[in-house]
Amino acid sequence: MRLFFKAILCSVLLMMSSCVEDVNFSQAEDLEITPAILASLVNTVITQNELVIAGSEISAPIEQTSLFTVFNNQQTNDNLERLVLQFAINNQFNRGFRIEFFFLDDAGNSTYNPIILNVVPNQSDFTQEEEIILANNPTFTNTRRVRVRVELLPSTDGSMIDVNVPASLDFRSAVTSYFRVN
């Protein structure tokens, strides 16, 4: 019993005499969080039936403009440091494609250089990344719309797309957003 009492007394004395630094509540002001958020953007499939209309291949590029609401939030504007856009394409056609992304403000002015994807015929593993560092491209935060243009390139051998042969252009994209919050 006496040994037990001595052990408890020594433990209490050690705990009371151990080095303890005063709590510094201002450390929370120096706290910096750097989250990275991955989000899927556009995933679409274009088939041979969308490239051949009334027996003729489309000659004009396919264009679509979409709203881009990332910068409608002040917290995002204040804390977003960079974006990394990732593109992956499986092209089953024996034709190449040129895909362009235009970033526009409310007035239709460009806020960033177009991103161009050149996809060769029968390329099943096309990937491309584009990093946008906002400190180097401050006008990018004015982006409110994205226009995508898909152009079917001419064949090198004069062949046409056969609507009876199933083929597709599978397009996937994602963005990783890097924030710094303090």
Side-chain angles (χ1 to χ4, degrees):
M1 182 73 160
R2 192 171 206 167
L3 183 62
F4 179 72
F5 179 71
K6 285 183 180 180
I8 291 177
L9 182 60
C10 284
S11 297
V12 170
L13 288 174
L14 282 174
M15 285 191 291
M16 292 178 64
S17 65
S18 64
C19 298
V20 175
E21 188 176 318
D22 291 337
V23 176
N24 181 354
F25 290 104
S26 67
Q27 288 176 336
E29 295 171 7
D30 300 331
L31 179 67
E32 187 172 85
I33 303 170
T34 55
I37 299 171
L38 175 66
S40 178
L41 289 177
V42 176
N43 297 309
T44 191
V45 176
I46 298 173
T47 67
Q48 75 279 5
N49 295 323
E50 296 167 272
L51 299 174
V52 178
I53 308 228
S56 298
E57 289 182 358
I58 60 168
S59 57
I62 301 168
E63 287 193 23
Q64 181 175 353
T65 302
S66 302
L67 291 177
F68 188 77
T69 59
V70 170
F71 298 111
N72 289 358
N73 178 317
Q74 191 60 43
Q75 290 292 343
T76 300
N77 289 340
D78 293 343
N79 299 306
L80 184 63
E81 285 194 324
R82 66 186 174 107
L83 299 166
V84 177
L85 298 165
Q86 298 116 2
F87 304 98
I89 299 172
N90 177 6
N91 179 13
Q92 298 173 354
F93 292 100
N94 63 349
R95 301 287 288 282
F97 288 86
R98 180 180 170 98
I99 304 170
E100 299 172 291
F101 293 84
F102 302 92
F103 300 91
L104 310 168
D105 63 14
D106 281 328
N109 300 312
S110 177
T111 60
Y112 190 75
N113 293 331
I115 296 174
I116 300 171
L117 312 177
N118 291 305
V119 185
V120 299
N122 298 307
Q123 186 175 13
S124 63
D125 60 350
F126 178 91
T127 59
Q128 184 171 322
E129 285 190 353
E130 178 82 14
E131 181 178 39
I132 302 170
I133 299 172
L134 297 178
N136 300 341
N137 302 285
T139 60
F140 189 75
T141 60
N142 296 328
T143 301
R144 298 298 178 263
R145 290 178 173 56
V146 177
R147 184 173 59 230
V148 180
R149 179 186 300 158
V150 178
E151 181 180 1
L152 174 65
L153 300 177
S155 68
T156 56
D157 61 3
S159 65
M160 302 290 286
I161 294 175
D162 185 349
V163 293
N164 298 313
V165 177
S168 63
L169 178 79
D170 300 328
F171 177 85
R172 295 179 314 278
S173 63
V175 63
T176 303
S177 304
Y178 294 90
F179 294 86
R180 182 168 307 279
V181 182
N182 32 345

